[in-house]
Amino acid sequence: MSSVVYLLHGLMCDKAVWEHQNLLLSAQSSVLEVRQPSFRGCNSLEAMAARVLSDAPAKFSVAGHSMGGRVVWELLAMAPERVDKVAVLDSGCRGVQAGEAEKRNHLLSLAKKKGLDEVGKLWIGPMLHPKRRTDSKIIDNISAMLLRNTPEEYEGQIQALLNRQDRQDLVRQLQQTVWYLVGDEDGWSSPDQHREMYSITPKAQLHIIPNAGHMSTMEQPEAVSDLLVKWVNS
């Protein structure tokens, strides 16, 4: 049956993070439409989820990367009966961790004082697989995404993440099968973190993407796209 699939981006990202996946999913006979909403202007995960629901059909599927994965949990909290297939990539379900606020606020302060380009110099490298940290093409693409935002938009998304709820209990009660995908060298949302989510999810699959860091959709686009095509047709 034809369906709408939402691809939800992460912090300071946009459609570019899903470029390869959008092309392959859009070509699937099982997909009516791929939608990629922007979260600019939102300062809570709930507001981001509400933006998705505002024009979503009665039933839809959703894949979320990083912050987008956390928006998936909010969709499942707000309207579980409307969500069909679920995929969460390079993300988590726990609340704010020790030291997280200090790290995020340090980068936010840098953005306000020196601009987002300075944030990128500290932020992009650690998100990538060690072998990708000198890949100028992917670094330039991520930097361009970052700079399409403003420090004010960055602040709103940081606020959203730091005010998130712990969603472990929700995950334990899900009726949907959740596909978890994570880069094998994701230093932000580790494979172990995904193994933990997999272990508490009633119905789940776990796929670890070789030679990828946190930006798995861009670092290993073919591998991620192939899995998401299988997911949407499952």
Side-chain angles (χ1 to χ4, degrees), residues 6-222:
Y6 281 87
L7 300 178
L8 309 183
H9 63 72
L11 177 68
M12 301 299 278
C13 293
D14 57 29
K15 292 180 179 181
V17 82
W18 294 110
E19 183 177 6
H20 195 277
Q21 293 73 41
N22 176 50
L23 288 173
L24 265 69
L25 290 174
S26 296
Q28 295 300 299
S29 60
S30 57
V31 176
L32 176 66
E33 182 182 357
V34 176
R35 299 180 182 178
Q36 301 179 69
S38 169
F39 295 136
R40 288 178 179 170
C42 295
N43 61 5
S44 72
L45 298 177
E46 294 84 355
M48 295 175 192
R51 180 168 290 180
V52 173
L53 292 171
S54 66
D55 71 348
K59 200 82 170 178
F60 60 92
S61 298
V62 61
H65 176 259
S66 193
M67 180 184 74
R70 296 189 182 276
V71 179
V72 170
W73 305 137
E74 299 313 308
L75 288 167
L76 289 163
M78 296 165 71
E81 74 287 350
R82 296 177 63 184
V83 182
D84 184 15
K85 300 179 189 302
V86 178
V88 171
L89 297 79
D90 302 285
S91 192
C93 66
R94 287 182 174 271
V96 177
Q97 301 298 291
E100 180 181 345
E102 290 78 6
K103 292 177 182 177
R104 292 193 184 278
N105 283 323
H106 170 71
L107 289 175
L108 177 58
S109 177
L110 184 64
K112 289 179 176 180
K113 292 176 181 177
K114 297 188 176 181
L116 288 169
D117 53 340
E118 291 298 316
V119 172
K121 292 175 183 178
L122 296 177
W123 188 55
I124 296 173
M127 285 199 297
L128 301 174
H129 187 280
K131 293 181 180 178
R132 291 281 188 174
R133 291 174 186 170
T134 56
D135 185 331
S136 59
K137 182 177 179 180
I138 195 169
I139 291 170
D140 288 348
N141 286 340
I142 296 171
S143 180
M145 274 198 301
L146 178 64
L147 295 177
R148 285 194 284 271
N149 294 272
T150 66
E152 291 73 25
E153 288 162 343
Y154 185 38
E155 184 172 23
Q157 292 183 21
I158 291 294
Q159 181 179 337
L161 288 167
L162 291 180
N163 287 318
R164 70 180 185 266
Q165 297 185 56
D166 189 302
R167 287 303 188 188
Q168 292 179 89
D169 286 345
L170 179 144
V171 170
R172 289 188 178 98
Q173 299 172 38
L174 291 177
Q175 300 300 308
Q176 295 88 345
T177 298
V178 181
W179 284 46
Y180 292 110
L181 282 66
V182 60
D184 64 346
E185 291 284 346
D186 187 336
W188 288 67
S189 303
S190 69
D192 282 346
Q193 183 167 295
H194 289 73
R195 292 186 184 98
E196 180 184 44
M197 291 191 291
Y198 170 76
S199 73
I200 66 172
T201 308
K203 295 180 288 185
Q205 292 192 28
L206 174 62
H207 300 276
I208 297 177
I209 312 299
N211 301 311
H214 188 67
M215 302 300 288
S216 62
T217 62
M218 301 177 78
E219 294 178 73
Q220 295 295 337
E222 294 86 359

